[in-house]
Amino acid sequence: MVVELWETLKETITAYTGLSPAAFFTVLALAFAVYQVVSGFFVSPEEHRPRSTEDYPQPEPLPPPVQLGEITEEELKQYDGSDSKKPLLMAIKGQIYDVSQSRMFYGPGGPYALFAGKDASRALAKMSFEESDLTGDISGLGPFELDALQDWEYKFMSKYVKVGTIQKSDVEGKESADAEPSTNTGEEEASEVTQGETSKSVEEEKKEETTEKKDAANGDAAKED
């Protein structure tokens, strides 16, 4: 089939051009080369210049991290990446870091997007994506989980800028305040018990001395009789 097509093509070339197939393809190649040379004189050099990186849109530089100081967990939720004008923040063990440079990971649509705007200490320690683990409470974690959390903290400290801390809730503050008076009360009670025992021992010693004196006086009286 291919041989028949080639024979038909040669006959057609010879019939219409009067040239042999070899001469026809040679002329065709020369004509293409002449076209390339001539067209180069009429085309601006800018069109043949390779595009540099300056021709492509460059991403806007990230603004410098802003120090927030101490904020609540509710305020931290405003920096979960939903507002592109605000920095992307995340906390570990109460320390807040600016992770805007890793928006592809922690921003909307990223694999760790649910950690943004939260203290995800427990979730990172357990490598959990459960909603219940998105908290800074790390009580009850095992040694391996605490080591994993420590590794995450070292990574964040070396890569991202710390911009604030999470404010402790009023409940935690009250618990710590209540714990202190209870300790003092225990010490006061122990002191009162010790003082009471001391006063009792002094009174007993006085009673014994009084009794001895009375006995001695009675004995002297008996002798005189």
Side-chain angles (χ1 to χ4, degrees), residues 116-127:
K118 303 179 183 70
D119 187 332
S121 299
R122 193 175 192 86
L124 291 173
K126 299 173 65 177
M127 286 309 298

Side-chain angles (χ1 to χ4, degrees), residues 58-73:
Q58 298 294 322
E60 295 182 3
L62 294 173
V66 178
Q67 295 296 325
L68 300 177
E70 193 176 48
I71 63 175
T72 64
E73 291 188 28

Side-chain angles (χ1 to χ4, degrees), residues 4-219:
E4 293 177 359
L5 290 173
W6 174 242
E7 292 295 333
T8 304
L9 181 61
K10 288 196 297 182
E11 293 175 0
T12 303
I13 292 172
T14 304
Y16 283 95
T17 63
L19 300 173
S20 65
F24 173 77
F25 286 112
T26 301
V27 172
L28 190 63
L30 288 172
F32 180 75
V34 171
Y35 169 77
Q36 290 292 327
V37 173
V38 173
S39 63
F41 292 108
F42 298 98
V43 178
S44 173
E46 293 293 329
E47 297 184 11
H48 292 282
R49 182 175 61 85
R51 297 186 68 183
S52 64
T53 55
E54 297 178 356
D55 297 330
Y56 295 94
Q58 298 294 322
E60 295 182 3
L62 294 173
V66 178
Q67 295 296 325
L68 300 177
E70 193 176 48
I71 63 175
T72 64
E73 291 188 28
E74 195 64 30
E75 291 172 329
L76 180 60
K77 292 179 181 179
Q78 301 175 13
Y79 302 92
D80 61 354
S82 57
D83 187 351
S84 59
K85 296 181 180 179
K86 292 183 178 181
L88 186 63
L89 305 182
M90 178 180 164
I92 294 182
K93 296 171 69 173
Q95 308 302 309
I96 304 172
Y97 297 90
D98 188 332
V99 296
S100 300
Q101 66 188 73
S102 299
R103 189 173 288 271
M104 65 175 62
F105 295 105
Y106 299 102
Y112 303 116
L114 74 166
F115 296 158
K118 303 179 183 70
D119 187 332
S121 299
R122 193 175 192 86
L124 291 173
K126 299 173 65 177
M127 286 309 298
S128 169
F129 293 92
E130 298 292 333
E131 193 73 27
S132 57
D133 289 327
L134 297 176
T135 174
D137 181 14
I138 58 175
S139 60
L141 294 179
F144 293 105
E145 293 169 332
L146 292 175
D147 288 342
L149 179 60
Q150 191 69 53
D151 291 340
W152 276 103
E153 186 177 17
Y154 286 149
K155 175 184 176 182
F156 271 63
M157 290 171 63
S158 61
K159 187 175 182 180
Y160 305 115
V161 178
K162 177 186 170 184
V163 295
T165 57
I166 293 181
Q167 183 180 3
K168 292 184 179 180
S169 62
D170 295 337
V171 176
E172 293 179 356
K174 288 181 179 179
E175 288 180 353
S176 60
D178 293 341
E180 293 178 357
S182 61
T183 305
N184 296 336
T185 303
E187 293 177 355
E188 291 175 358
E189 290 178 353
S191 176
E192 289 177 358
V193 171
T194 304
Q195 291 178 357
E197 291 177 352
T198 304
S199 60
K200 286 182 181 179
S201 61
V202 171
E203 291 178 357
E204 289 176 355
E205 288 178 358
K206 288 182 178 180
K207 288 181 179 179
E208 289 178 358
E209 290 178 358
T210 303
T211 304
E212 289 177 357
K213 289 179 179 180
K214 287 183 178 180
D215 293 341
N218 293 333

